[in-house]
């Protein structure tokens, strides 16, 4: 009884601090790519077997474009025959806009990349990792049936037990290599099922009260999402329990999270999709060797990578209160009050020539390079 009372009291104080948000940016249609930087490097983050092309190469190779239905496509190369010891081309983009605590991001998609070796993600990051936090909104590997959420932070941030969410909690310490993760339980959140259901929508609230993520498949979109337009504000008060909840008292959000940039990427194999404990149960029969790189990345791209693409209706960013900015600087912090200012931190992105990186000598990308960044040493768990 006492416990129940304490819990409900603490949940009251954990309620998000605002329910009405003003639109500050929509990314969609022909202008979608205007405010994103292409990574232009091999995958030095998760050690996947891809080259994330620079902008002009990605457009030239048709790995990033807007289709005849005004949907944004980002995909893995499925037309090139890749020789052994080479990587396959793909896309990673980072928003030029930064979003502070007090933001909501909504993404509507009709298709997510999937298939053996495929590892897509839609996530956010600060300038330094993990010091400035990471929020994984859409992420999964191989033929996984459900999306996985996670936060990555320095030690000191965790997800409390018994939190109000519909997803299933996993590791709760956000500084662990896996991050503090939650697995989606609502239907159709990943893979072929997501596409068959006509896709769906994720909404992320990045607030002083906590970080909360919702998912709805196409058939179950709430009215506020269905009625939202490219200019309207949004009321989140009727969304119900989130799929994943990371309430603030147990994780001091402004301490562990700086303003965030949004990121899309698709990699292949690497330190999650490619490790045997993850790859083998779903995909060891995908080819002759039973190895992620050899059986997928190498050789023809089709039909293996025909489903390795994002198809996006829009990404919308909102902030609490205040007027929307009339002109946000091309790289600036967007404050919760909707005003923005020139950015003083490095963007940690760049456009490179796409030349092959001489230090990459490991075809399966895992062995010799050390684990230097995001998703560090998943293999340490097995
Ligand atoms: C990855 O490569 C990019 C481009 O060369 C570079 O800016 C970045 O610092 C590298 N990151 C790591 C973790 O090595
Ligand atoms: C690549 O995949 C797309 C669907 O994503 C498909 O339409 C196309 O035919 C494939 N390309 C080849 C060469 O098979
Ligand atoms: C918005 O917040 C920032 C940071 O707190 C502040 O510097 C700025 O003056 C505020 N702008 C408005 C219009 O209130």
């Amino acid at each position: 009884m006492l416990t129940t009372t304490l819990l409900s009291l603490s949940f009251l104080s954990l309620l998000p601090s605002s329910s009405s948000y003003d639109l500050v940016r929509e990314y969609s249609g022909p202008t979608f790519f205007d405010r994103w930087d292409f990574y232009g490097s091999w995958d030095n983050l998760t050690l996947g077997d891809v080259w994330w092309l620079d902008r002009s190469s990605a457009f030239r190779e048709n790995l990033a474009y807007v289709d005849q239905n005004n949907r944004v496509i980002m995909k893995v190369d499925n037309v090139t025959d890749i020789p052994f010891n080479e990587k396959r081309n793909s896309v990673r983009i980072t928003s030029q806009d930064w979003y502070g605590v007090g933001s909501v991001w909504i993404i509507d998609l009709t298709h997510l990349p999937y298939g053996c070796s495929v590892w897509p993600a839609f996530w956010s990051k600060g300038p330094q990792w993990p010091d400035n936090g990471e929020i994984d909104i859409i992420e999964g590997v191989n033929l996984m049936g459900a999306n996985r959420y996670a936060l990555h932070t320095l030690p000191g941030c965790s997800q409390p037990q018994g939190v109000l969410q519909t997803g299933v909690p996993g590791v709760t310490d956000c500084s662990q290599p896996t991050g503090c993760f939650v697995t989606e339980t609502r239907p159709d959140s990943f893979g072929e099922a997501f596409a068959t259901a006509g896709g769906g929508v994720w909404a992320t609230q990045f607030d002083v009260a906590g970080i909360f993520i919702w998912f709805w498949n196409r058939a179950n979109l709430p009215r506020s999402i269905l009625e939202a337009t490219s200019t309207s504000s949004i009321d989140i008060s009727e969304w119900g329990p989130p799929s994943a909840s990371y309430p603030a008292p147990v994780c001091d959000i402004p301490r562990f999270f700086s303003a965030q940039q949004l990121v899309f990427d698709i990699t292949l194999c690497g330190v999650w999709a490619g490790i045997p404990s993850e790859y083998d149960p779903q995909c060891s029969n995908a080819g002759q060797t039973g190895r992620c790189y050899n059986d997928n990345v190498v050789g023809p791209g089709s039909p293996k990578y025909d489903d390795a693409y994002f198809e996006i209706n829009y990404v919308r960013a909102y902030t609490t209160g205040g007027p929307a900015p009339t002109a946000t600087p091309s790289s600036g912090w967007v404050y919760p009050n909707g005003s923005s200012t020139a950015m003083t931190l490095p963007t940690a992105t760049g456009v490179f020539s796409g030349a092959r990186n001489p230090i990459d000598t490991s075809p399966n990308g895992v062995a010799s390079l050390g684990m230097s960044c995001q998703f560090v040493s998943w293999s340490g768990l097995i």
Side-chain angles (χ1 to χ4, degrees), residues 75 78-79 302 305-307 309:
K75 61 191 300 233
N78 70 334
V79 302
S302 186
Y305 293 116
D306 289 2
D307 278 305
Y309 65 94

Side-chain angles (χ1 to χ4, degrees), residues 39-42 44-45 348-349 352 357 372-373:
Y39 199 70
S41 165
W42 66 288
N44 58 5
L45 301 176
T349 62
F352 300 89
N357 187 323
S372 51
C373 211

